[in-house]
Amino acid sequence: MQPSADRALPTAADVDAAARRLAGVALRTPLLTSPVLDALTGARVFLKAETLQRTGSFKFRGAYNKLSSIPQNERAGGVVAFSSGNHAQGVAAAAQLLGMPAVIVMPSDAPRPKRERTAALGAEVVLYDRAREDRAAIAGEIAEKRNAALVPPYDDPLIIAGQGTAGREIVEDLAAQGLVPDVIAVTASGGGLTAGIALAVKARMPRARLYTAEPEGFDDHARSFKSGRREKNAALTGTICDALMAQRPGGLTFAVNRDLVGAGAAALAALISGKIDVKGKIAVAVLSGGNVDPDLFYRLVA
């Protein structure tokens, strides 16, 4: 898919502009290390801890970059977004900081804590049936009625650029240690985080290799890279990774990723399992978010 004229692909310069908007607002999350991970993988592994970002995931970066770019005279109608939880909270938090009303369309089966935290940030939550209703259509109707700006979860140049600031930080923080990344593994749903990081990293370290990491049964990026076109997942639900269930890569995100990213196997699991060979290399896994459903987490570790 080629982007239309009014949806030009974002660039590394857009990521740099996003970094300036986010300075002092988004957290510069740390790169964590563990001797145990190094021993398991045979690599020097760094974890980009977006679990420590505002609202618990990288999504705040793109949301704030998008919302802060809306002209003041167009903010009265607020914003409308659709999300299973992380983008929802990112948009709600950004809207709260900027004094804008927000409506978030969320699936009725989204983890309860994500729904509650989104509402606690001041957003109006509208629930829909993931299996029977079209979230984008619902959000579009609300935005039109309220004269609000629609804030997509990934397929938007400003969203992609905002997410890319995480990649910019990875390169800068490794460089401060005299290191260059060989491999970066990024979890992929719609592909916005992957695309943004790819733009930021490849502009500075063109020899670095980037991989997507996806749940089994939701490997639309891996299949799309192989076929050269956007492939669709057959299932709508069925993985514990509730934030990684986009049906197919975004149009803009895939246009970036098919040129800059290699197919992968989520990110840390791909390194530990050997899905990505990192022996003897400098490897980074992006911990994209930590908003796990506590009930599900309890069942998994019990």
Side-chain angles (χ1 to χ4, degrees):
M1 170 182 173
Q2 294 296 323
S4 61
D6 62 338
R7 278 163 51 91
L9 293 179
T11 66
D14 295 318
V15 178
D16 294 337
R20 292 190 290 272
R21 290 191 193 98
L22 290 167
V25 182
L27 301 179
R28 189 183 185 97
T29 56
L31 283 177
L32 306 178
T33 60
S34 165
V36 174
L37 287 178
D38 290 354
L40 281 172
T41 60
R44 285 193 69 180
V45 176
F46 294 83
L47 307 178
K48 179 60 170 170
E50 284 297 289
T51 49
L52 302 177
Q53 186 54 260
R54 292 181 87 140
T55 71
S57 90
F58 72 95
K59 288 287 191 177
F60 176 79
R61 295 175 183 268
Y64 190 86
N65 190 49
K66 174 71 173 179
L67 269 62
S68 63
S69 300
I70 298 173
Q72 286 285 350
N73 61 356
E74 297 177 15
R75 294 184 181 182
V79 294
V80 181
F82 46 92
S83 165
S84 64
N86 286 333
H87 181 61
Q89 293 172 82
V91 171
Q96 186 179 64
L97 287 170
L98 294 166
M100 302 169 67
V103 178
I104 313 294
V105 179
M106 301 184 71
S108 56
D109 62 347
R112 177 177 50 81
K114 290 186 177 182
R115 300 196 308 266
E116 291 177 348
R117 286 196 290 264
T118 301
L121 287 164
E124 177 186 345
V125 175
V126 174
L127 300 179
Y128 78 100
D129 185 329
R130 192 195 298 262
R132 295 182 178 86
E133 296 181 288
D134 183 338
R135 65 181 190 171
I138 294 171
E141 290 176 6
I142 295 173
E144 186 174 355
K145 288 178 181 177
R146 302 192 181 195
N147 195 29
L150 193 63
V151 184
Y154 47 84
D155 221 19
D156 179 279
L158 289 165
I159 295 289
I160 294 170
Q163 319 305 29
T165 58
R168 189 177 188 268
E169 291 172 12
I170 289 172
V171 172
E172 291 176 345
D173 291 350
L174 285 177
Q177 301 181 51
L179 301 173
V180 174
D182 296 306
V183 171
I184 299 178
V186 189
T187 50
S189 183
L193 178 62
T194 305
I197 288 179
L199 288 169
V201 171
K202 284 291 191 177
R204 294 164 174 81
M205 302 293 176
R207 295 174 65 180
R209 299 192 66 183
L210 287 93
Y211 295 87
T212 54
E214 303 170 281
E216 184 176 359
F218 294 83
D219 59 341
D220 46 297
H221 280 80
R223 289 183 287 108
S224 297
F225 290 143
K226 289 178 181 178
S227 70
R229 57 190 176 88
R230 294 161 64 215
E231 301 289 348
K232 187 176 182 180
N233 294 319
L236 292 174
T237 61
T239 173
I240 62 172
C241 305
D242 64 274
L244 300 178
M245 293 193 291
Q247 277 200 282
R248 69 176 69 188
L252 292 180
T253 61
F254 185 60
V256 172
N257 291 334
R258 66 184 170 192
D259 292 331
L260 301 181
V261 182
L268 178 57
L271 299 188
I272 294 175
S273 66
K275 293 281 187 181
I276 303 173
D277 181 15
V278 294
K279 288 182 180 179
K281 299 176 180 177
I282 305 296
V284 180
V286 180
L287 306 182
S288 56
N291 294 315
V292 64
D293 180 353
D295 294 333
L296 173 60
F297 183 75
Y298 174 78
R299 293 197 301 272
L300 291 173
V301 301

